[in-house]
Amino acid sequence: MSSTEDPDYPQQLLNYRDGFIVSKAMFTACELGVFDLLHELGEPLTTATIASRLCTSVDGTDRLLTACVGLKLLKVELKNDEAYYSNTDLSTTYLVKSSPKTMYPMMMYCTNTAYICWQFLPEAIREGKCQYERAFGVSSEDLFNAIYRSEEMLVTFMGFMDSISNNFGKYALQAFDLSTFHTVCDLGGCSGSIAKQYVSTYPGSNVTIMDLPKVIQTAKRYFITDSDQHISLLEGYSTVQDWEFSKTLLVILIEAEVDCRVSLSLMRLGDFFTDPIPEADLFILSSIIHDWTEEKCHHLLKKVYQSCRPGGGVLLIEHLLNEDKSGPVASQLFSLYMLVLTEGRERTPSEYTKLLTDCGFRDIQVKSTGTRYDAILGRKLQ
């Protein structure tokens, strides 16, 4: 009997112990550009060639490449007793920067922010609060000022959210028939990925993305390209020209046309916690509610209810916990993640149902998509 077949051998615990080694090895291969180099050159390369191109040590590079083979991120072929490495389909699709489905920004956010904050998990458990101040010396009193603590971190975080939405957003948007909702507001819409998927899935709809000025400016610069969208900037907008608010917020108006063109409109709006939210048939809050305390969630959803037209609704896209708290493990771990990095947590279907019902919504429907992100739909009765 091998050790792994022995019921007394703690293989599962050893796998858990090595989890941080696995993730950091993958993050490092991404950061150093291993997958990009192999993709760009388009042929298997030796350790010496990869090390030379990346300006890394031959010994260290050899160990990293070997580990990536074991993780099924690279393939290896021996020629004349020398190893030649190439990408697997998995790494080509998700870890190469230029891939349409790239998750590279997610990996960079995890290694440069989440990984560092997670060192302070014991403190987060003891104190019940996020750990940005310990990790980076910045106050987390204003959560997103801490997250967007530099332009580089802003771009990385937006890339992280963009990669999630690009790869998983469609499952939540297709969980229910949303075709009756024509005027949509995506609160905290970040890079515009969810909005673009919505207008693609439901032609004839209009989606307004509401987010902070620097987020929209960054979306225009890095995430919305001229190759497939027509973009224009306008200051002011007729529906809000008489509103006087203390803060300025940029809004992207995505107009669903045959070619899904996008126009950017500068609107004088405010923080969605404190200032009016535009009217809409449907509000989308993707990975928003799990960021905030129960009190702030109630406040925001009551404002959403007031701005929602009769017969309209709200779509929450979040990780769902099982009612009996038995899983799924990804959601359970992500709730810990939210403790370390935000003010919020993940919830069960009944907790989301109560939250939405308390804020006025009815006919709550919850659907698990089988991916990391699930869908909760509430309606405002006629």
Side-chain angles (χ1 to χ4, degrees):
M1 176 186 295
S2 68
S3 60
T4 55
E5 295 172 331
D6 186 342
D8 292 328
Y9 188 79
Q11 185 61 50
Q12 189 173 26
L13 294 183
L14 294 177
N15 291 342
Y16 293 163
R17 179 204 65 181
D18 294 341
F20 79 98
I21 304 174
V22 171
S23 57
K24 195 61 178 177
M26 179 173 62
F27 298 158
T28 299
C30 288
E31 185 174 355
L32 293 176
V34 170
F35 308 112
D36 294 317
L37 176 64
L38 290 170
H39 179 71
E40 288 164 9
L41 295 187
E43 61 182 8
L45 300 177
T46 65
T47 297
T49 300
I50 293 171
S52 175
R53 293 290 191 119
L54 299 181
C55 299
T56 55
S57 71
V58 173
D59 179 49
T61 302
D62 182 64
R63 300 184 197 208
L64 179 61
L65 297 175
T66 300
C68 286
V69 169
L71 295 173
K72 312 299 184 190
L73 301 177
L74 292 178
K75 296 180 290 187
V76 64
E77 181 182 359
L78 291 178
K79 298 178 182 178
N80 298 322
D81 293 328
E82 189 167 21
Y84 284 76
Y85 296 91
S86 58
N87 287 335
T88 60
D89 290 342
L90 182 68
S91 57
T92 296
T93 302
Y94 295 108
L95 299 180
V96 171
K97 289 181 190 176
S98 59
S99 169
K101 293 186 175 183
T102 186
M103 297 173 78
Y104 174 87
M106 178 192 297
M107 304 307 168
M108 291 303 94
Y109 174 77
C110 288
T111 193
N112 292 320
T113 296
Y115 193 86
I116 296 171
C117 285
W118 267 79
Q119 297 177 64
F120 302 101
L121 179 60
E123 288 80 1
I125 300 296
R126 293 188 188 104
E127 300 166 359
K129 66 178 185 180
C130 69
Q131 296 297 308
Y132 278 104
E133 191 159 0
R134 275 197 176 88
F136 303 108
V138 295
S139 173
S140 57
E141 185 174 341
D142 186 327
L143 178 61
F144 277 85
N145 270 346
I147 293 173
Y148 302 154
R149 59 192 179 274
S150 69
E151 182 178 1
E152 180 184 3
M153 288 298 102
L154 170 61
V155 173
T156 300
F157 180 81
M158 289 182 65
F160 167 37
M161 298 306 297
D162 190 72
S163 64
I164 292 175
S165 298
N166 279 337
N167 287 294
F168 310 118
K170 63 182 179 182
Y171 300 106
L173 293 178
Q174 295 169 6
F176 305 103
D177 180 4
L178 305 176
S179 60
T180 58
F181 303 116
H182 302 299
T183 304
V184 182
C185 182
D186 184 4
L187 293 180
C190 200
S191 68
S193 177
I194 286 289
K196 286 184 281 187
Q197 289 185 56
Y198 190 94
V199 297
S200 176
T201 304
Y202 302 102
S205 58
N206 297 323
V207 181
T208 301
I209 301 176
M210 185 173 175
D211 218 313
L212 300 171
K214 56 188 174 184
V215 173
I216 300 303
Q217 291 161 1
T218 304
K220 178 179 180 292
R221 190 177 310 151
Y222 294 101
F223 300 99
I224 299 176
T225 65
D226 292 332
S227 61
D228 56 356
Q229 283 115 2
H230 172 71
I231 301 176
S232 62
L233 276 170
L234 301 173
E235 186 164 358
Y237 195 65
S238 59
T239 59
V240 291
Q241 60 186 2
D242 296 326
W243 292 3
E244 294 181 2
F245 301 133
S246 60
K247 298 178 182 178
T248 298
L249 189 73
L250 284 171
V251 173
I252 301 178
L253 176 64
I254 296 191
E255 300 174 341
E257 301 178 19
V258 175
D259 58 355
C260 292
R261 290 181 299 168
V262 179
S263 65
L264 270 65
S265 300
L266 175 62
M267 302 176 70
R268 293 190 176 277
L269 293 174
D271 185 325
F272 55 54
F273 279 119
T274 58
D275 294 315
I277 295 171
E279 284 191 356
D281 298 326
L282 177 69
F283 289 88
I284 299 175
L285 287 80
S286 179
S287 300
I288 299 297
I289 294 301
H290 76 169
D291 286 339
W292 305 104
T293 63
E294 205 77 2
E295 181 183 2
K296 288 183 179 178
C297 289
H298 275 94
H299 176 68
L300 177 56
L301 287 171
K302 285 177 180 178
K303 290 174 85 277
V304 168
Y305 181 82
Q306 291 300 317
S307 294
C308 185
R309 293 172 183 145
V314 60
L315 178 70
L316 308 183
I317 301 176
E318 300 286 1
H319 296 73
L320 284 175
L321 291 166
N322 295 342
E323 290 291 356
D324 62 2
K325 303 297 179 78
S326 63
V329 66
S331 297
Q332 293 167 323
L333 292 175
F334 216 80
S335 201
L336 268 182
Y337 181 100
M338 300 313 289
L339 171 64
V340 174
L341 291 157
T342 73
E343 300 176 8
R345 63 185 180 88
E346 307 304 339
R347 294 173 173 82
T348 64
S350 62
E351 287 173 326
Y352 276 114
T353 297
K354 184 178 186 306
L355 182 62
L356 289 173
T357 301
D358 288 348
C359 295
F361 292 98
R362 296 293 182 267
D363 297 337
I364 313 301
Q365 296 175 271
V366 180
K367 283 195 177 180
S368 174
T369 67
T371 70
R372 289 294 183 95
Y373 286 88
D374 303 306
I376 307 100
L377 180 66
R379 293 180 179 271
K380 183 174 182 177
L381 300 182
Q382 293 278 5

